[in-house]
Amino acid sequence: MYALVDGNNFYVSCERVFRPSLQGRPVIVLSNNDGCAIARSNEAKDLGIKMGAPWFQIRHLEKTEGLVALSANFTLYGDMSDRIMTLAAGLGPTQEIYSIDESFIGLHGVRGDLTRRAHIIRDRILRWTGIPCGIGIAPTKTLAKLANFIAKTAERKPGSYPEHLARVCNLAALSQRELEAILGATDVGEVWGVGPRIAAQLREGGIQTVLDLARMYTATVRRRWNVTLERTVREVQGFPCIDMDDVPAPKQQIACTRSFGRPVTDLAPLMEAVSEFASRAAEKLRKQNSQAGALQVFMHTSPHRAGQQLSRSVTVPLRRPTADSRLLAKAAADGMRFMYVPGFQLIKAGVFLMDLQPASVQQGELELEPEEGRDRTRLMAAMDALNGRFGKGTLHVGSTGMPGAQRTWGMRQERRTPQYTTRWDDVPVARA
Ligand SMILES: [Mg+2]
């Protein structure tokens, strides 16, 4: 049995924790520089704002609908992510982090009422961090993901699903009849691993709902499509058959994750591994002509072994978006050094590249700097070390101007909220 814990409109929720005035208002978070919506509050979704909508096409809503647009604050999101992951881990004996706000929790051997337990964890995450989550529980990861979708939809659109499935949806606790009614009311395109193209093909073949998909013959699926879809169908039927190593990377992320040949305990090989993963991911990044603004590193112990479990992740914001393998590898190694805890038998680690944007975006800014082919590796290393220790922007290139309020160019400074949880100067002060 698995649970999928997933933050609701995660980036927006992080912003709302420190600016409660944003509650109930349409809020979006923009990707750096290129200005597309990468997170939307429910109110913003209700305005019809699509994921990835360019800012210039929707900015009129600022005046007409009171839309609030913020620049992405990955330092804040990464830190909040770490907090919700730590609390989510309390749900079961194992945890696999899937993205910045999603993790699968293995519930093997957990006794008692799982639904109630999930509600307790959800309430705890909300109370301790301010982030609302949805939790889906089911016998397979694909169904847990679907259950999570149902939990969120039932909460957001009353009447779409039975009310008792809102926030926490445990498909395993339903009667066969109730389960079939729910799967029959859910579009086949909502299934994890069924992309828009395959969904269209399925619909053409008369497979409209998840229930239709669950009733397909796996042999037919393999013959007409492929083994990957066959596995998805088996998962929807309730037979676990996917490992985290072969699941698709979440949208807006490039992932490189591996299980190790044998458990690793020492820091040095772990740093090596994640550096390597980051360079692989960087290759994919360059292939699609993108650059990344932040990187997340994670590691965990084996879900299948006895002994103390550990699952940690850390998000490393990059000084500037890059597709440079060296910079990304270094960031990954730094992240690993930061979160490393000795004494655990780690069996898996990985790197996610986030805040993806077109590689062309930075051109204008890059020209400001004297780049005459000189090797500035050592200079950059010294700069990064100082900035890492004393705060972003402590040492910076003169032509980029003074950081802070004086800097007026670009969206980033204009719309980004403070680093509430990671920078002393930005820690909010409570007044009586
Ligand atoms: Mg989410």
Side-chain angles (χ1 to χ4, degrees):
M1 201 65 71
Y2 294 96
L4 178 69
V5 185
D6 183 3
N8 296 358
N9 314 325
F10 182 62
Y11 299 164
V12 170
S13 297
C14 291
E15 298 288 355
R16 281 178 168 169
V17 170
F18 296 94
R19 282 174 67 183
S21 62
L22 297 176
Q23 294 289 355
R25 295 187 63 178
V27 180
I28 57 170
V29 170
L30 298 170
S31 58
N32 283 331
N33 298 315
D34 62 346
C36 292
I38 53 170
R40 304 158 299 156
S41 71
N42 290 344
E43 298 79 5
K45 289 175 188 170
D46 292 342
L47 287 178
I49 297 172
K50 295 271 175 291
M51 199 64 173
W55 174 227
F56 72 89
Q57 281 180 9
I58 50 175
R59 83 180 301 162
H60 61 277
L61 297 172
E62 217 174 1
K63 283 215 180 76
T64 58
E65 307 285 345
L67 175 68
V68 178
L70 300 167
S71 299
N73 185 347
F74 279 96
T75 311
L76 174 65
Y77 311 152
D79 189 58
M80 296 303 282
S81 165
D82 217 22
R83 297 173 189 213
I84 64 167
M85 291 302 174
T86 307
L87 293 172
L91 188 52
T94 63
Q95 180 180 41
E96 291 178 274
I97 291 166
Y98 178 58
S99 74
I100 193 162
D101 66 333
E102 292 167 274
S103 68
F104 287 99
I105 310 293
L107 299 174
H108 327 285
V110 178
R111 282 191 234 159
D113 183 344
L114 290 178
T115 313
R116 207 179 138 254
R117 191 181 167 92
H119 271 291
I120 292 170
I121 293 286
R122 187 195 176 273
D123 292 347
R124 183 179 298 162
I125 295 174
L126 183 61
R127 196 157 7 112
W128 291 9
T129 70
I131 304 287
C133 288
I135 303 185
I137 301 173
T140 68
K141 286 175 179 159
T142 305
L143 283 175
K145 193 117 164 112
L146 193 76
N148 188 278
F149 165 79
I150 292 165
K152 285 186 175 171
T153 312
E155 185 185 9
R156 194 185 143 212
K157 299 180 188 160
S160 56
Y161 290 104
E163 214 245 294
H164 70 100
L165 301 179
R167 297 177 290 279
V168 172
C169 169
N170 181 357
L171 291 181
L174 302 180
S175 68
Q176 189 63 23
R177 236 185 79 230
E178 214 177 345
L179 179 65
E180 287 185 1
I182 279 155
L183 298 184
T186 308
D187 186 88
V188 70
E190 298 300 344
V191 174
W192 192 34
V194 174
R197 200 174 53 91
I198 289 184
Q201 291 168 357
L202 287 167
R203 284 192 204 103
E204 218 166 276
I207 311 298
Q208 304 285 347
T209 69
V210 185
L211 185 63
D212 297 335
L213 186 73
R215 285 180 172 162
M216 285 186 87
Y217 286 110
T218 45
T220 315
V221 177
R222 187 176 36 209
R223 204 173 50 228
R224 279 198 56 192
W225 284 276
N226 50 43
V227 214
T228 316
L229 190 64
E230 183 196 358
R231 260 196 322 226
T232 298
V233 171
R234 291 186 64 78
E235 284 253 320
V236 170
Q237 292 169 344
F239 304 107
C241 54
I242 59 169
D243 192 53
M244 286 298 280
D245 285 335
D246 39 45
V247 301
K251 285 172 213 152
Q252 301 173 22
Q253 268 188 202
I254 289 180
C256 183
T257 71
R258 286 298 137 74
S259 298
F260 302 135
R262 68 173 76 117
V264 180
T265 359
D266 294 336
L267 177 60
L270 287 169
M271 284 174 63
E272 241 174 70
V274 295
S275 305
E276 171 67 19
F277 299 160
S279 343
R280 295 273 177 84
E283 283 168 30
K284 295 187 206 169
L285 190 65
R286 291 193 294 268
K287 207 173 271 174
Q288 65 172 56
N289 206 19
S290 301
Q291 52 191 359
L295 169 151
Q296 188 179 24
V297 198
F298 75 87
M299 60 177 185
H300 62 77
T301 48
S302 169
H304 309 295
R305 266 170 185 253
Q308 225 189 337
Q309 299 282 337
L310 178 79
S311 175
R312 293 196 79 178
S313 75
V314 65
T315 303
V316 187
L318 296 159
R319 211 169 51 82
R320 61 170 52 205
T322 183
D324 187 326
S325 293
R326 287 172 313 166
L327 297 178
L328 292 168
K330 188 181 169 300
D334 287 348
M336 178 54 84
R337 193 188 296 118
F338 177 79
M339 70 177 175
Y340 174 74
V341 185
F344 286 90
Q345 305 240 312
L346 298 156
I347 57 120
K348 189 168 176 181
V351 167
F352 296 119
L353 301 183
M354 301 179 303
D355 189 17
L356 305 186
Q357 45 199 291
S360 53
V361 179
Q362 283 282 314
Q363 297 296 322
E365 196 182 332
L366 275 180
E367 280 162 20
L368 295 173
E369 287 182 36
E371 280 292 342
E372 289 131 30
R374 281 177 60 189
D375 182 9
R376 294 178 182 276
T377 321
R378 288 185 58 215
L379 175 64
M380 291 296 135
M383 194 160 151
D384 290 347
L386 282 167
N387 287 337
R389 180 149 178 211
F390 298 107
K392 216 168 162 182
T394 303
L395 197 63
H396 61 97
V397 177
S399 57
T400 60
M402 288 297 287
Q406 308 96 309
R407 202 185 241 176
T408 48
W409 49 266
M411 288 283 197
R412 191 188 294 205
Q413 297 298 320
E414 206 177 296
R415 294 175 177 273
R416 204 189 63 202
T417 48
Q419 323 228 298
Y420 299 109
T421 57
T422 51
R423 206 167 169 264
W424 285 116
D425 291 346
D426 290 351
V427 170
V429 178
R431 292 196 181 84

